[in-house]
Each structure stands twice: as structure tokens, then as C-alpha cells.
Amino acid sequence: MLLPLLAAAALLTAGPAGAACNDPAAARVDWRRCLQDGQDLSGADLSGAVLRDASFARGRLVGANLSGAEAPDARFTSADAQGADFSRAVLRGADFTRTRLVDATFIGADLRNARFFRADLTGAKLTGALLAGSDLSTATLDGALWVDGQKRCAAGSVGACQ
């Protein structure tokens, strides 16, 4: 009788551990549904991290590497992510409201249904990014490299690449 209970307990603890929100920033960290609001993660390597429904509101992600991160529905509102690398990241439904994304890289990123209300994408690289359903209506796009990898948005581009 005790053996089946021990086996069941072993199954419950086997496999990958769940999100540990106080784990240090590292590649492949699992911060699913974690609140990292106001944290300074400048230069952090979060490549391949699981950031689903996590919040980085008012945080600093300057020069951070989030390439290949899985971050659908993540919130980056009012954050400073200048020069951050979001290449190949899954950011469907992510909220970048009022986020500073100057010179950020979104090459091959999935940004479908993402929100960029009043975000600053000056000089951002959007080559190959998926933008269907994204709200760029009030985003600053001055000098951004557009999804085709060839067109540079003109100075004064707001809401659309001119």
C-alpha cells in the first residue's frame, strides 16, 4: 500500500520545476506569471526564457538579451528596453505601452496582437517580425528598419512607417 503512494509522490515531483519568481536572471529561466516590476535587468541574459504572462512594468531591460524568449501576454509597460534583443521571441499579445524600445531588435519576433501605445521604436529593427493585429497607432517609428528588412521609416513616422 505504501509503495503506490511513494510512486505517485515521485511522479508529482518529477519533471521540470515550475516558475520560481525569485530565481536570478539567467538564460532559460522560468518566470511564468512572475512580477518583475521595477527591476533593473539591464544587460541580463534572458535568452530562451519562459516569460508567459510575466510583468516587467517600469523596469530596466537596457541591452538585455531576450532572444528566443517565450513571452506571450507579457507586460513591459513604461519600461526602458533600449537596445534590448527580442529576436525570434514569441511576444503575441505583449503590452509595450509607453515602453522605450530605441534601437531594440525584433528580428523574426512574433508580435501579433502586441500593443505599442505611445511606445518609442526609434531605430528598432523589425525585419521579419509578425505584426498582424498589433497596435502601432501611436508608436514612434523614426528610423526603424521595417519588416521587409529594407525600408527605413522616415523621421516623424508615428503609427505607420512612412
Side-chain angles (χ1 to χ4, degrees):
M1 186 72 166
L2 185 58
L3 191 54
L5 289 175
L6 290 174
L11 285 175
L12 290 175
T13 59
C21 298
N22 54 358
D23 283 352
R28 300 186 186 276
V29 70
D30 186 344
W31 281 350
R32 191 180 334 220
R33 291 180 292 285
C34 292
L35 298 178
Q36 299 294 337
D37 296 346
Q39 297 294 318
D40 188 352
L41 297 167
S42 297
D45 181 4
L46 296 171
S47 58
V50 178
L51 308 172
R52 180 180 306 250
D53 201 31
S55 181
F56 300 90
R58 299 171 314 285
R60 288 185 46 83
L61 294 154
V62 176
N65 179 4
L66 291 98
S67 62
E70 181 189 328
D73 300 314
R75 292 169 304 288
F76 298 91
T77 53
S78 299
D80 185 354
Q82 179 176 350
D85 185 357
F86 294 94
S87 296
R88 299 172 319 284
V90 176
L91 296 155
R92 283 186 310 270
D95 190 352
F96 292 97
T97 295
R98 293 183 307 277
T99 302
R100 185 169 186 248
L101 295 160
V102 174
D103 297 325
T105 302
F106 291 97
I107 296 172
D110 184 350
L111 294 164
R112 290 176 290 179
N113 300 310
R115 183 177 174 152
F116 291 94
F117 180 76
R118 295 181 64 192
D120 187 353
L121 288 155
T122 300
K125 295 165 197 72
L126 297 162
T127 304
L130 302 174
L131 291 171
S134 291
D135 181 4
L136 293 163
S137 60
T138 55
T140 301
L141 295 163
D142 295 0
L145 184 58
W146 199 237
V147 295
D148 63 5
Q150 298 186 19
K151 182 179 181 179
R152 279 262 179 216
C153 303
S157 292
V158 175
C161 186
Q162 307 293 324

